[in-house]
């Protein structure tokens, strides 16, 4: 991948990470808000809190993936598959910039997961 393309992906990842960090802060503030004294309202708020918690978990997961991708960039390993060491491929990295494995290794892992389930 050309240097300009890598710089562009880095900027995109850093921007996405910042936006996700802001979202996570809002989610945490929402969770800390507390519950209403009315039992019906409290039940609804607790239900909503489960959804918000799931969103928070997904946001944390994506932040971790982006952080790992940025560390791989810094280490010069961004374009190499973490499993087989081969190239991940420019098209895959453009489509999923925090991918750490090539498409073949990703498919293999997906098939293995299906057979274990």
């Amino acid at each position: 991948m050309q240097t300009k393309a890598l710089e562009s992906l880095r900027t995109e990842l850093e921007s996405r990470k910042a936006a996700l960090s802001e979202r996570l802060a809002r989610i945490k503030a929402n969770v800390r808000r507390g519950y209403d004294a009315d039992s019906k309202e409290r039940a609804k708020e607790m239900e909503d809190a489960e959804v918000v918690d799931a969103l928070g978990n997904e946001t944390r997961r994506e932040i971790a993936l982006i952080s790992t991708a940025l560390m791989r960039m810094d280490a010069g390993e961004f374009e190499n598959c973490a499993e087989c060491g081969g190239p991940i491929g420019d098209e895959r990295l453009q489509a999923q910039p925090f991918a750490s494995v090539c498409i073949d290794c990703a498919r293999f892992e997906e098939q293995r997961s299906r057979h274990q389930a």
Side-chain angles (χ1 to χ4, degrees), residues 20-87:
L20 288 169
S21 294
E22 288 176 16
R23 178 193 300 171
L24 189 57
R26 287 191 307 272
I27 288 170
K28 286 178 181 179
N30 188 312
V31 169
R32 284 189 216 121
R33 189 178 69 211
Y35 298 113
D36 194 292
D38 179 358
S39 63
K40 284 184 181 181
E41 186 62 29
R42 184 179 316 143
K44 174 70 173 126
E45 288 173 346
M46 290 176 79
E47 198 175 288
D48 291 347
E50 288 179 25
V51 173
V52 169
D53 189 46
L55 289 172
N57 290 338
E58 182 61 27
T59 301
R60 279 187 282 283
R61 182 177 108 24
E62 192 169 344
I63 288 171
L65 289 171
I66 291 171
S67 294
T68 300
L70 291 169
M71 286 188 292
R72 288 172 48 83
M73 278 184 177
D74 292 341
E77 301 169 352
F78 182 68
E79 297 178 82
N80 300 325
C81 178
E83 291 294 319
C84 70

Side-chain angles (χ1 to χ4, degrees), residues 81 83-84 86-89 92 100-112:
C81 178
E83 291 294 319
C84 70
I88 292 176
R92 179 161 169 77
S100 62
V101 296
C102 67
I103 193 69
D104 291 336
C105 288
R107 286 180 181 145
F108 177 78
E109 182 59 34
E110 184 179 319
Q111 288 175 351
R112 190 170 66 132

